[in-house]
Amino acid sequence: MSGGVTSLAARVWHGAAMVAAPLLPLWLRYRAGRGKEIAARLPERRGFGCDRPEGLLIWLHAASVGETLSLLPLLGALARARPEARFLITTATVTGAAMLAARLPPDLAARSRHRFLALDVPGWVARFLDGWRPDAAVFVESEIWPNLIAAAAARGIPLGLVNARMSARSGRRWARLPGFAASLFGAFRLVAAQTATDAARLRRLGAAGVVAWGNLKAAAEPLPADPEALAEARRLLGGRPVLLAASTHPGEEALILRALPALRVALPDLLLLLVPRHPDRGAEVAAAAGGAPRRALGQGPGAGPGAGSGAGSVWVADTMGELGIWFRLAQAAVIGGSLVPKGGHNPLEAAQLRCPILFGPHMENFAEVAARLLALGGAIQVPDAAALAPAAIGVLTGAGRAAALSAAAVAVADDAAGLPERLAAEILGWLPVPLAQPGDRARTFSGQAFSGQAFSGQAFSGQAFSGQAFSGQAFSGQAFSGQAFSGQAFSGQAASPDDSENAAKQ
């Protein structure tokens, strides 16, 4: 490895962030205009808005909806183990913040503060960390921000990465810059990988303290359903058989709609319930379904221009936070992001609510969970969209088949019992007892985790950024043309070297 190469790469990332800083407020306002940011809270993205409570403060960061749901069981375990602790919870997306507000129990909400994460600009990150002064920090999945991690490490804040995943593609990209990868992943005291395969890849990249204890998403509470909304939805469905397409992506709805004629031959009264991953795509999805009614507009499954256009057989549930209702009412669910190359979404959400599971060939984000479901007979995988109709018909018309799938899937979902408590015990072991005052942290942790080699005098001395960032396009003449600092680069997702991994988060 050439130290000069990696040092240059690190300096380019550090310098590019500083050069982009004057432009980023304009970009943030543009995002706010599109509903991707909250205008009144834009200063938080620059590190403002600190309001540190007294005593022990544990910071937990989740990028978006899926990571936020993973975080909740860990948050609960930490709160139970340390009743005096307070929590700072950051997200990178508005949808993640909305999910947190909807799902955080009142007792935990009283002990927590939410902020949007500061963008990875050195001065903004410093303002955030110096204002909050967390006693420990925990990141979920693949949230790797170089300037933020360097600054936290320099302040002696112990770091953890939980529910960590590393795809083969990302692993190859990080491996091109081994010195940087080792210093970056080596900054974490704990790296709790989702699977043994993820753990092995992270170890090869230099991560220390790697364990493979399972997937926190399996430990999450079942998705909630408001009783009144559930009863109303049940009334609207009128006892019709329902095939749910949960968290679909562009291009995926069209593939599923192609299966509808064959499904309707076998089940003339079938309702296909399309739930797009991003509710703001509701109009687009409804148009693709021939003008199907939209729940966001208050339309029920019988509304619209008529059954001949698709309105009678398709309903678009373009609302936020209602998947718990649909998994409870559907007779089978197709997992979104699996028929197109998005890596799939969490099948355990359906498993916990005993909804029979079908998914396509693209389940890379949950490869080990999917493999276990298939091995135990808890899911059906179709090789392509053409095979979806016969597979779904077999489940929808076979009560015994559906019951067997559900029972096996529940067993897989139950495997993660105790994981949040195990992680909480590890994280809390970093903290001194009796509790140190926030200003004592530097003395408490000095010289323990970051001795000499990782974060000397510069932002990332002798290191580098991801293979994507230096693939010949990110810092070329198009550096600020919408690639390097576009909605990817500072949306809470760009610092991961694998776009495909993070696309499923939004």
Side-chain angles (χ1 to χ4, degrees):
M1 180 193 70
S2 169
V5 172
T6 55
S7 178
L8 174 62
R11 290 171 180 170
V12 169
W13 173 255
H14 185 272
M18 296 184 69
V19 169
L23 305 177
L24 291 176
L26 297 175
W27 173 74
L28 287 170
R29 286 196 289 273
Y30 168 74
R31 281 175 54 84
R34 300 180 60 203
K36 300 293 186 181
E37 304 279 348
I38 298 174
R41 297 183 63 179
L42 289 181
E44 295 173 22
R45 300 294 250 155
R46 296 164 56 203
F48 292 105
C50 300
D51 181 24
R52 193 195 195 284
E54 293 296 324
L56 178 67
L57 181 66
I58 300 174
W59 168 31
L60 303 120
H61 174 67
S64 192
V65 173
E67 296 79 9
T68 301
L69 292 174
S70 299
L71 198 70
L72 291 174
L74 175 59
L75 175 62
L78 289 165
R80 288 189 296 273
R82 293 296 285 266
E84 82 284 10
R86 296 295 181 267
F87 301 96
L88 167 64
I89 306 170
T90 56
T91 61
T93 66
V94 172
T95 51
M99 182 60 67
L100 181 68
R103 295 291 300 273
L104 195 62
D107 59 328
L108 287 182
R111 296 169 59 183
S112 304
R113 287 172 167 82
H114 171 267
R115 293 293 186 272
F116 289 106
L117 184 68
L119 303 186
D120 202 40
V121 174
W124 301 359
V125 163
R127 182 184 296 127
F128 173 86
L129 292 173
D130 291 340
W132 287 104
R133 304 184 311 281
D135 294 285
V138 180
F139 299 81
V140 179
E141 293 201 10
S142 54
E143 281 291 286
I144 305 299
W145 290 100
N147 292 326
L148 178 63
I149 291 171
R155 287 161 173 78
I157 301 170
L159 303 173
L161 182 64
V162 301
N163 232 39
R165 57 192 176 96
M166 178 63 62
S167 71
R169 181 184 180 192
S170 283
R172 289 192 297 270
R173 287 180 167 182
W174 283 112
R176 296 172 189 166
L177 301 162
F180 174 69
S183 61
L184 187 58
F185 290 103
F188 293 97
R189 292 194 183 191
L190 170 69
V191 177
Q194 293 184 16
T195 70
T197 302
D198 292 315
R201 290 174 182 145
L202 287 159
R203 287 191 191 100
R204 285 196 293 271
L205 293 175
V210 181
V211 296
W213 289 345
N215 194 326
L216 265 176
K217 289 180 179 177
E221 291 293 318
L223 294 178
D226 177 77
E228 292 185 5
L230 178 63
E232 176 65 9
R234 182 177 282 111
R235 184 190 67 77
L236 289 171
L237 295 177
R240 296 173 65 178
V242 175
L243 176 63
L244 168 65
S247 297
T248 56
H249 288 263
E252 198 163 33
E253 297 92 0
L255 296 175
I256 296 169
L257 286 166
R258 289 177 197 167
L260 188 56
L263 289 165
R264 296 270 288 175
V265 169
L267 293 157
D269 201 30
L270 178 74
L271 177 67
L272 174 61
L273 183 59
L274 295 175
V275 182
R277 178 68 172 179
H278 300 108
D280 58 5
R281 294 186 55 243
E284 168 194 336
V285 174
R294 296 172 55 197
R295 181 165 172 82
L297 299 181
Q299 299 170 338
S309 69
S313 57
V314 181
W315 190 22
V316 179
D318 50 344
T319 52
M320 175 66 70
E322 292 194 322
L323 265 181
I325 293 175
W326 311 129
F327 281 133
R328 285 173 169 85
L329 297 179
Q331 282 67 55
V334 180
I335 303 302
S338 69
L339 292 171
V340 292
K342 291 293 184 180
H345 292 294
N346 183 10
L348 297 177
E349 292 175 342
Q352 289 175 319
L353 295 172
R354 294 184 174 273
C355 184
I357 299 166
L358 302 98
F359 48 69
H362 302 288
M363 286 297 290
E364 296 84 359
N365 292 340
F366 294 89
E368 190 161 298
V369 171
R372 183 156 173 75
L373 284 167
L374 293 172
L376 295 183
I380 296 173
Q381 186 169 36
V382 297
D384 50 43
L388 178 59
I393 289 168
V395 176
L396 293 166
T397 60
R401 177 70 169 130
L405 283 167
S406 298
V410 166
V412 174
D414 287 343
D415 282 349
L419 177 57
E421 289 73 19
R422 192 176 185 184
L423 288 169
E426 181 72 21
I427 293 163
L428 294 174
W430 306 337
L431 302 173
V433 179
L435 298 178
Q437 294 300 312
D440 295 335
R441 186 195 318 107
R443 293 190 296 275
T444 303
F445 294 106
S446 62
Q448 291 183 19
F450 307 102
S451 57
Q453 60 178 10
F455 299 101
S456 60
Q458 315 176 21
F460 281 94
S461 175
Q463 297 139 28
F465 190 51
S466 73
Q468 180 185 6
F470 300 99
S471 60
Q473 58 181 346
F475 296 102
S476 65
Q478 304 180 42
F480 303 101
S481 65
Q483 293 186 27
F485 294 97
S486 66
Q488 290 182 9
F490 285 100
S491 64
Q493 316 208 23
S496 168
D498 189 347
D499 289 343
S500 68
E501 283 185 356
N502 288 315
K505 296 179 182 178
Q506 293 294 324

